[in-house]
């Protein structure tokens, strides 16, 4: 062999064609595996980032909502029941605290729009109240202010100006997209947590043009307040010609449920609770209206009290899940249908409707039940649940 190699150099040892093909195939296979692993890692990183970003935004919105809710006020005072023949003192307040099922509050077509299912487009609960937040809408007209910043707000130094606030969930397209781009960009139909902010200058609570349901304002304080309905909420939520709430902005995206349960602190529960009292564990006051008679009563003087505690629960999904849901349908999914109704206004019943497993693991018993978490699991939605007992600092509960 050595003699032949020396005699003919072209016969030196080398790779055969089959060996080259096999090595090339192996290299291609290894590169394919590496690229597939890198692609999967990138997708996992993107999903994780999107999920973290979404849930961080939801957490920020939840904290902002609960912080504002804790500042709700009624500024109550005592007044004689009849100035002509005074017999008793009654608790009074021109301010209002209203919480309940949104579809009941938005039954007016001027609010929800003529098309679409109100219960599906505005699911679960909402709350409206006044708080001393010092929010103002008018721009300053002082020369010193405008020279410093032309966008400075008027009355900004009055930090305790009374404003109206509210929180509810709306299913709609992305309102941040300019109108001239809506025809070219795809829809982003999402559930969004909306924050109503009615500045002090636009507050409609004291607007004397509001209807009073045929009750004369001069017929006594009790009748004046009990006959008055929450038209200020309607005024604050009136839609513009473009179909949007002018005074409401998006606080967080992909929030699918907002649950509110007014409660009493343990020390505020009377020794012998009755149907006219709130109970921390068995309250029937989901539809809490401070202008209405006491919870559980159909007549009587207005309540004019704040719940000492409001249990706030919020459920959010991530953007990846929302995109997957929109590919299925642009109609709002009915994840909360038949759940969280006023007749299930207790801590235990709300937890049962929510369906969160006791061990904190997805699936399990809740998967087979008609619960919110069961429906989200079956739809393969990634979700987070936020819960907090919000103490209303302005609540001065009295059983008198």
């Amino acid at each position: 062999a050595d003699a032949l190699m020396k005699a003919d150099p072209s016969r030196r040892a080398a790779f055969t064609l089959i060996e080259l093909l096999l090595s090339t195939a192996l290299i291609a296979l290894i590169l394919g595996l590496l690229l597939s692993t890198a692609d999967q890692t990138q997708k996992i990183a993107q999903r994780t980032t999107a999920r973290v970003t979404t849930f961080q935004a939801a957490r920020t919105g939840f904290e902002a909502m609960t912080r504002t809710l804790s500042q709700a006020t009624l500024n109550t005072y005592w007044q004689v029941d009849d100035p002509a023949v005074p017999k008793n003192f009654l608790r009074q307040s021109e301010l209002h605290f209203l919480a309940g099922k949104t579809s009941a509050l938005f039954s007016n077509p001027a609010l929800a729009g003529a098309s679409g299912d109100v219960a599906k487009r505005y699911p679960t609960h909402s709350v409206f109240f006044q708080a001393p937040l010092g929010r103002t809408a008018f721009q300053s007209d002082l020369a010193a202010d405008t020279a410093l910043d032309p966008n400075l707000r008027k009355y900004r130094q009055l930090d305790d100006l009374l404003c109206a606030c509210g929180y509810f969930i709306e299913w709609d397209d992305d309102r941040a997209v300019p109108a001239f781009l809506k025809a070219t960009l795809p829809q982003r139909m999402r559930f969004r947590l909306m924050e109503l902010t009615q500045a002090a200058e636009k507050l409609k609570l004291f607007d004397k043009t509001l209807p009073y349901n045929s009750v004369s304002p001069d017929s006594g304080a009790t009748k004046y307040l009990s006959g008055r309905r929450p038209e200020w909420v309607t005024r604050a939520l009136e839609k513009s010609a473009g179909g949007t709430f002018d005074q409401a902005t998006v606080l967080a995206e992909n929030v699918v449920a907002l649950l509110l349960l007014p409660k009493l602190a343990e020390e505020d529960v009377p020794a012998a609770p009755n149907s006219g009292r709130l109970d921390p564990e068995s309250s029937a006051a989901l539809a809490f209206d401070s202008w209405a008679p006491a919870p559980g009563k159909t007549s009587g003087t207005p309540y004019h009290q704040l719940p000492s505690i409001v249990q706030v629960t919020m459920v959010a999904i991530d953007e990846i899940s929302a995109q997957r849901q929109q590919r299925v349908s642009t109609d709002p999914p009915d994840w909360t249908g038949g759940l969280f109704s006023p007749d299930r206004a207790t801590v235990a019943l709300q937890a049962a409707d929510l369906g969160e497993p006791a061990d904190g693991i997805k699936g399990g018993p809740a998967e087979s039940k008609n619960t919110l978490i069961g429906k989200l699991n079956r739809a393969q939605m990634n979700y987070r649940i936020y819960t907090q007992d919000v103490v209303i600092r302005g609540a001065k509960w009295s059983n008198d």
Side-chain angles (χ1 to χ4, degrees):
D2 292 339
L4 289 174
M5 290 292 292
K6 292 178 180 179
D8 188 0
S10 63
R11 295 175 64 89
R12 293 176 181 174
F15 291 110
T16 64
L17 180 60
I18 295 176
E19 291 173 335
L20 289 174
L21 291 175
L22 287 174
S23 60
T24 303
L26 288 173
I27 292 173
L29 179 61
I30 293 172
L31 287 176
L33 291 174
L34 290 175
L35 291 175
S36 176
T37 303
D39 183 61
Q40 291 180 1
T41 302
Q42 183 181 17
K43 288 181 179 179
I44 292 173
Q46 289 176 346
R47 286 197 298 267
T48 303
T49 301
R51 188 178 300 120
V52 169
T53 301
T54 299
F55 292 141
Q56 281 181 344
R59 165 61 69 180
T60 301
F62 181 76
E63 291 176 350
M65 174 179 59
T66 54
R67 184 169 56 250
T68 303
L69 179 60
S70 68
Q71 301 179 66
T73 184
L74 288 184
N75 194 26
T76 57
Y77 57 93
W78 293 93
Q79 182 171 302
V80 293
D81 56 350
D82 189 344
V85 185
K87 296 180 180 179
N88 298 300
F89 282 93
L90 300 177
R91 187 183 297 105
Q92 301 291 338
S93 175
E94 285 75 29
L95 307 186
H96 196 193
F97 186 94
L98 181 65
K101 198 158 187 178
T102 311
S103 58
L105 300 177
F106 282 20
S107 58
N108 188 336
L111 297 180
S115 62
D117 190 329
V118 176
K120 291 182 179 179
R121 293 184 58 206
Y122 300 94
T124 59
H125 306 156
S126 57
V127 60
F128 301 94
F129 56 93
Q130 286 79 43
L133 303 176
R135 295 175 181 174
T136 177
F138 293 164
Q139 292 185 352
S140 178
D141 54 2
L142 298 177
D145 289 343
T146 55
L148 181 64
D149 184 351
N151 295 319
L152 281 179
R153 298 297 183 183
K154 195 174 184 180
Y155 313 125
R156 68 188 187 282
Q157 59 271 57
L158 301 179
D159 297 332
D160 293 331
L161 276 176
L162 194 66
C163 306
C165 304
Y167 296 94
F168 59 95
I169 294 176
E170 180 186 31
W171 171 270
D172 204 353
D173 195 7
D174 190 355
R175 63 174 60 197
V177 177
F180 66 91
L181 290 177
K182 289 214 176 264
T184 57
L185 294 178
Q187 283 187 319
R188 287 189 70 253
M189 303 300 295
R190 299 286 188 275
F191 283 118
R192 295 178 174 88
L193 177 63
M194 306 298 296
E195 179 183 46
L196 167 70
T197 303
Q198 191 175 44
E201 304 94 320
K202 297 182 178 181
L203 192 63
K204 294 293 184 180
L205 188 67
F206 306 107
D207 191 344
K208 297 303 181 182
T209 62
L210 295 179
Y212 293 94
N213 289 357
S214 302
V215 177
S216 171
D218 300 324
S219 60
T222 301
K223 292 182 179 180
Y224 170 80
L225 291 173
S226 62
R228 191 175 169 191
R229 301 307 304 156
E231 280 84 7
W232 71 269
V233 178
T234 304
R235 296 289 183 86
L237 288 170
E238 284 178 344
K239 285 193 171 185
S240 64
T244 60
F245 297 123
D246 289 339
Q247 300 180 73
T249 57
V250 177
L251 190 61
E253 286 201 342
N254 300 321
V255 176
V256 300
L258 175 63
L259 311 175
L260 303 163
L261 184 61
K263 302 190 297 183
L264 282 187
E266 292 291 344
E267 59 269 20
D268 292 330
V269 181
N274 55 49
S275 60
R277 301 288 189 264
L278 286 172
D279 186 280
E281 299 299 328
S282 61
S283 166
L286 180 60
F288 191 97
D289 186 347
S290 66
W291 282 357
K297 294 186 177 181
T298 58
S299 62
T301 58
Y303 212 34
H304 295 312
Q305 292 207 71
L306 290 169
S308 50
I309 298 173
V310 178
Q311 177 182 296
V312 182
T313 302
M314 191 181 81
V315 182
I317 61 175
D318 63 5
E319 177 61 20
I320 302 292
S321 299
Q323 292 174 3
R324 186 167 59 250
Q325 171 60 36
Q326 184 173 341
R327 286 195 292 269
V328 175
S329 174
T330 56
D331 295 328
D334 192 18
W335 289 326
T336 58
L339 304 174
F340 312 111
S341 56
D343 60 342
R344 297 179 64 77
T346 68
V347 174
L349 290 177
Q350 282 216 22
D353 282 351
L354 185 62
E356 186 173 13
D359 55 6
I361 301 175
K362 287 186 180 182
E367 184 71 26
S368 60
K369 296 180 180 179
N370 183 31
T371 64
L372 174 56
I373 290 180
K375 293 179 181 180
L376 292 178
N377 287 337
R378 287 192 292 275
Q380 298 182 345
M381 299 287 110
N382 293 312
Y383 61 86
R384 291 289 185 276
I385 300 174
Y386 308 90
T387 302
Q388 180 178 337
D389 278 350
V390 179
V391 177
I392 308 298
R393 298 197 293 261
K396 300 176 181 179
W397 193 264
S398 171
N399 293 313
D400 296 333

